[in-house]
Amino acid sequence: MTTQIPALDETEQGQIKDIVCDILELELDEVTDTSLFKEEHDADSLRTIEILASLERTFGITLKQSELSRMVNLAGVYAVVAEAKAQ
Amino acid sequence: MAAETGAPPAELVISGWAVSSPYGLGRAAFAGGLASGRRAIAPLDGADWPVPYEEAGLIPGFDIKAVLGRKGTRSMDRVTGIAATTVGMLLEEYGTGLAADPESTGLVLGTSGSVQSIMDFTRDALTGDKPYLVDPARFPNTVMNCPTGQSAIRHTLKGPNVTVSGGAATALLSLQYASRLLRGGHGRALLAGAAEEFSVQRARLERVADHGGAAPQPLGEGAALFLLQDAADARESGRPVLATVLGSRFRAFQDTARAGTALERCVADVLAAAGATPDDVELIAPGTPPGLLGKQEESALDGLTGNRLPVRSLVGDAGAASAAFQLAAVLAEAEADPRLVDRLTLVTAVDRDGTAGALLLRLA
């Protein structure tokens, strides 16, 4: 059985982008959906854990640390959060 | 790692200093404020600071992001911001050449960390939906060496990185620790001093603490740091010799009623070791705590005729930074008064937890 995972709406995507930009100390227009946190925005491992922890608090979801490997850019984070919300 | 530096330093001197105080950022504001005798304690805005105090000695308008920029400051707490700012000011004015030898340049900072950060983090763990739903970036703020570590990382100080805590005597203990590191060859130039923050939680704790039987006095905050190195190194790198560190002594006391005796011994010992007499001491910057502790300090200094520099009455109870402000005040006074050249000065502290200390310097 396949389940359709509902995409995040614009408000939720905006919330996520705010969180990421706040933690990575970036302006909103410095980040695109595909720009890489680590390679392009100098994120280290503590920063990515911060992003994960902040998403859990904000959306009331639980994210496995293994998902960090997919959370390399905004598009990846949107997908991970959408899946976690659908569960 | 600290570099091996060969022969131990013959003469330890202070060759630079920086201060962030209730008078503002920098030495000029501090020296000017003290010289005018203006009290740097102002009414508190109860909305910003829900505390059981009407007034405090805050660094005016201190805003971490405005001073240090946005990079690396998102989760920085106030005491770390104050420490990093003051380290930055010291290096900017006196740091020429130190960057070339970062492994031999270190930081000995007196602080007990931020009680506000510790309590905030613990509260988040207890009140959140899950105990682990805390902001991990704020965890480093809960350990007492956070200001020291962060300041060194920010300013690339790769030598010894030490955090010292000892109440009102903290800065004297820091200088003693730094002197020992330099004598042991564990660095060539060390920034030593102390930092303290004003916070809601610190205010609430201090309100109910024992103040020698007296009412709590307004709290202050800030930091003062001193560049400590061998006299020859200072001259070689074109830095001024501001004062020579002749030594310091510390004693523990169990009852407040014995604090005076403990301090008296510290003073007698440090003078004897320097071959000096009480009459040689031209200037004294005592801690002047309230109540019984203050009376004990006064009695210990009874036989000394040198001028007293008031500090605490002007900037408030600066906690861990108290003695750092006292030493800064001495250096500011020496800069303004040429008669103090080659004269001795004494900085003293008695802490309610049972430490008495005295630092003896020769002014240059």
Side-chain angles (χ1 to χ4, degrees), chain B residues 19-36:
Chain B
V19 63
S20 306
S21 76
Y23 288 115
L25 298 181
R27 294 188 297 129
F30 183 76
L34 286 180
S36 73

Side-chain angles (χ1 to χ4, degrees), chain A residues 58-72:
Chain A
T58 306
F59 293 100
I61 54 177
T62 304
L63 299 172
K64 292 198 192 77
Q65 288 214 12
S66 57
E67 301 285 22
L68 283 174
S69 60
R70 294 169 60 203
M71 295 165 54
V72 295

Side-chain angles (χ1 to χ4, degrees), chain B residues 142-194:
Chain B
T142 67
V143 291
M144 67 180 266
N145 65 339
C146 177
T148 324
Q150 288 292 316
S151 297
I153 292 167
R154 200 171 182 90
H155 298 292
T156 324
L157 305 173
K158 297 185 177 174
N161 191 259
V162 184
T163 303
V164 179
S165 175
T170 294
L172 305 186
L173 293 163
S174 297
L175 257 81
Q176 164 90 333
Y177 199 112
S179 301
R180 203 160 62 233
L181 284 175
L182 289 168
R183 291 206 179 89
H186 300 291
R188 287 188 78 87
L190 295 177
L191 285 69

